[in-house]
Amino acid sequence: MKKLKIAIVGTGSRGTFCFGQLFKKREDAEIVAFCDVNPVRAKAAAETLGISPNIYQTMEDMAEKETLDGVIITTPDCTHHKIAMKALNYGWNVLVDKPLATNVKDGKEVIETAKKSGLTIMIGFNLRHHGVLKRLKEIIDEGTLGKIFIAENREFYDGGRTYMSRWNRLYSVTGGLWIHKGSHDFDVFNWLLDFPKPVRVSSFAAVNVLTPENLPFEKEAGHEPGPSCNDCYYKEKCKDKFLLEDSDQPMWGKDAAAADGYLKNQCMYLSDKDTHDNGIAIVEYEGGIKVSHFECFIGARSDRTYTVVGDKAIADVSLHHRTITVTKRWTGEAITYTLPEETGGHGGADPSLVDAFCKVLRKEMEPNSTIEHGLLATAIGQAAEISRREHRMVEIEELFR
Ligand SMILES: NC(=O)c1ccc[n+]([C@@H]2O[C@H](COP(=O)([O-])OP(=O)(O)OC[C@H]3O[C@@H](n4cnc5c(N)ncnc54)[C@H](O)[C@@H]3O)[C@@H](O)[C@H]2O)c1
């Protein structure tokens, strides 16, 4: 079998430790090229993986030299749409990690480019590949829950270190966490419910804990904390320290930072931020189905829980415990399914996503997470962002006018 030739654009955490690791293990594909604005990081990523792809700093240079079957885009969110359009214009199929784009306008441009190119774009909605959610989807599709009219999910993730220490904390880069993080969750609702049309969104969100007033230690006179955890005077006593280890230095240490000024572990309390550390968003779909999505990025718990209510039964789900409990209406009879552990990132979802992309490239299947699905999730996230900033309910239609 001819090996698929793959390039990764954006060789940071996700590009290297998810896609790099997974493609390296495959026999039917090889990573032939890395493209990253930071050549120090790209080289270090290749060395970390023990591979020797050609390394480029621009898509233009990569296009001059490479013939590719597929490109994986794992750069910061606001760059996705332009990089995706370039890749399509060069004749490459694309897997763009979520979100498709940080607003509807950019997402629509990518769709137009994709249509003209006749190529395929798949979105990295890996939760669709999670064993527990796949089983939940089967339970819903079999009709066990009956007609669904309300659902909720709650995401607990100790995400300060991820979201407030680097670019994710900035609205200008992500379009806000309702898009950056929430697009996963809004897409899961869309998919579980079989894509009813989302009509309107309301949300409330704020930074309530990860602020300078809430540093988890007493400051001493003459010693300011930060700027990064490794430099911080309080690094031994801080309960939220996020120290880079020696093994992180090649990709994230001073040499790599000298090339682009990227600090991975700024103090999450002191960093300037205009996204949220907790919030709730509510979506109403055509037909009156209501869903709520709760995000909490502070705390000791890491789980996504779901409750889906139909007129025949309720399903309660925990991704962390890998359980689904279906409780029947009237009888109260409850059945709990415990799904087996799976290896690989995001509870086994990442390897399955990569498998699906390889099958799409070989034309063995159509993409299950399409560019239109990517746009829909971005639209709901953008509506939630507008709602929380302008304190009003936002009609999805408004974004498409
Ligand atoms: N599906 C998931 O579960 C999941 C999980 C984590 C991250 N993500 C997504 O993956 C993407 C990458 O996140 P990350 O945590 O790996 O970020 P990261 O900061 O670790 O890596 C991003 C890399 O992109 C490079 N880069 C920046 N601008 C570029 C450009 N214009 N062209 C080429 N390279 C550029 C940076 O130098 C860096 O090496 C984001 O879009 C994020 O939303 C998805």
Side-chain angles (χ1 to χ4, degrees):
M1 189 193 276
K2 191 177 150 282
K3 283 191 175 189
L4 297 167
K5 289 185 187 301
I6 303 294
I8 297 179
V9 186
T11 57
S13 304
R14 185 94 175 132
T16 306
F17 299 106
C18 169
F19 294 105
Q21 297 269 23
L22 289 168
F23 273 103
K24 188 188 148 183
K25 286 189 208 144
R26 294 188 75 95
E27 294 190 347
D28 62 343
E30 62 182 328
I31 301 167
V32 295
F34 271 180
C35 177
D36 197 295
V37 285
N38 186 329
V40 179
R41 187 169 305 118
K43 188 166 170 284
E47 280 165 9
T48 302
L49 291 170
I51 58 172
S52 317
N54 297 322
I55 293 178
Y56 303 94
Q57 268 182 273
T58 66
M59 296 284 281
E60 289 72 11
D61 287 349
M62 186 159 81
E64 269 184 27
K65 304 257 172 62
E66 303 290 342
T67 307
L68 301 170
D69 294 300
V71 171
I72 314 274
I73 300 174
T74 43
T75 52
D77 304 359
C78 63
T79 64
H80 287 185
H81 77 291
K82 284 206 175 125
I83 295 175
M85 289 195 292
K86 279 187 187 174
L88 291 163
N89 287 332
Y90 289 131
W92 302 324
N93 297 296
V94 174
L95 171 70
V96 59
D97 214 321
K98 61 83 207 161
L100 166 63
T102 55
N103 59 68
V104 166
K105 182 179 154 291
D106 290 350
K108 279 166 72 180
E109 278 176 22
V110 188
I111 291 192
E112 277 163 30
T113 309
K115 273 189 189 147
K116 278 187 209 146
S117 72
L119 293 156
T120 302
I121 280 210
M122 189 170 151
I123 314 293
F125 285 139
N126 44 356
L127 282 180
R128 296 236 207 137
H129 296 264
H130 194 290
V132 177
L133 290 175
K134 283 198 283 194
R135 184 71 191 105
L136 176 64
K137 171 85 173 138
E138 281 168 10
I139 289 169
I140 291 172
D141 289 352
E142 284 158 6
T144 308
L145 306 187
K147 193 167 178 292
I148 291 161
F149 53 95
I150 193 164
E152 69 153 18
N153 94 336
R154 298 192 298 158
E155 178 173 21
F156 298 94
Y157 173 50
D158 199 3
R161 291 173 193 82
T162 312
Y163 297 137
M164 302 309 168
S165 300
R166 52 183 202 139
W167 54 263
N168 314 54
R169 72 191 195 282
L170 299 173
Y171 177 77
S172 58
V173 184
T174 60
L177 291 182
W178 288 130
I179 294 182
H180 175 69
K181 187 70 173 164
S183 60
H184 267 310
D185 299 276
F186 297 129
D187 176 68
V188 166
F189 281 130
N190 293 340
W191 168 69
L192 287 175
L193 299 169
D194 221 5
F195 298 97
K197 191 174 164 196
V199 181
R200 54 186 67 87
V201 180
S202 276
S203 94
F204 304 90
V207 180
N208 292 117
V209 177
L210 301 178
T211 63
E213 303 74 47
N214 291 311
L215 283 164
F217 48 79
E218 288 296 322
K219 276 206 288 183
E220 295 170 28
H223 294 288
E224 282 307 310
S228 77
C229 291
N230 283 68
D231 301 325
C232 184
Y233 175 78
Y234 303 95
K235 67 182 167 197
E236 297 308 330
K237 59 160 88 164
C238 178
K239 297 184 186 75
D240 278 314
K241 61 180 168 285
F242 171 27
L243 294 171
L244 294 185
E245 307 292 338
D246 288 348
S247 57
D248 298 317
Q249 291 301 327
M251 283 178 70
W252 307 107
K254 290 201 166 40
D255 289 348
D260 60 4
Y262 182 160
L263 279 184
K264 194 177 167 73
N265 63 345
Q266 291 177 63
C267 173
M268 65 191 200
Y269 290 90
L270 300 183
S271 62
D272 55 324
K273 52 183 86 68
D274 54 2
T275 46
H276 57 265
D277 61 22
N278 73 103
I280 300 174
I282 307 166
V283 185
E284 186 177 29
Y285 289 88
E286 210 169 57
I289 306 171
K290 300 150 288 302
V291 306
S292 75
H293 166 50
F294 160 115
E295 289 184 344
C296 180
F297 300 133
I298 302 132
R301 188 182 302 174
S302 185
D303 198 358
R304 270 187 168 95
T305 64
Y306 297 78
T307 298
V308 183
V309 188
D311 59 6
K312 290 189 185 159
I314 296 176
D316 289 295
V317 178
S318 159
L319 293 199
H320 177 69
H321 297 288
R322 299 188 73 86
T323 52
I324 304 174
T325 299
V326 175
T327 309
K328 292 204 174 141
R329 191 175 171 201
W330 296 304
T331 65
E333 183 197 347
I335 305 170
T336 297
Y337 306 88
T338 304
L339 280 294
E341 291 294 334
E342 289 178 51
T343 52
H346 292 94
D350 289 335
S352 169
L353 171 71
V354 167
D355 250 353
F357 185 53
C358 289
K359 284 188 181 137
V360 167
L361 292 180
R362 292 193 182 286
K363 306 214 177 304
E364 291 166 14
M365 64 179 259
E366 290 294 315
N368 44 8
S369 42
T370 67
I371 190 167
E372 287 80 11
H373 298 163
L375 183 65
L376 207 55
T378 289
I380 299 175
Q382 188 180 355
E385 278 300 324
I386 297 172
S387 171
R388 91 144 170 116
R389 280 155 199 277
E390 298 183 9
H391 305 290
R392 66 182 176 92
M393 191 158 68
V394 177
E395 301 287 320
I396 295 285
E397 232 178 55
E398 174 182 327
L399 304 173
F400 286 86
R401 273 182 211 133

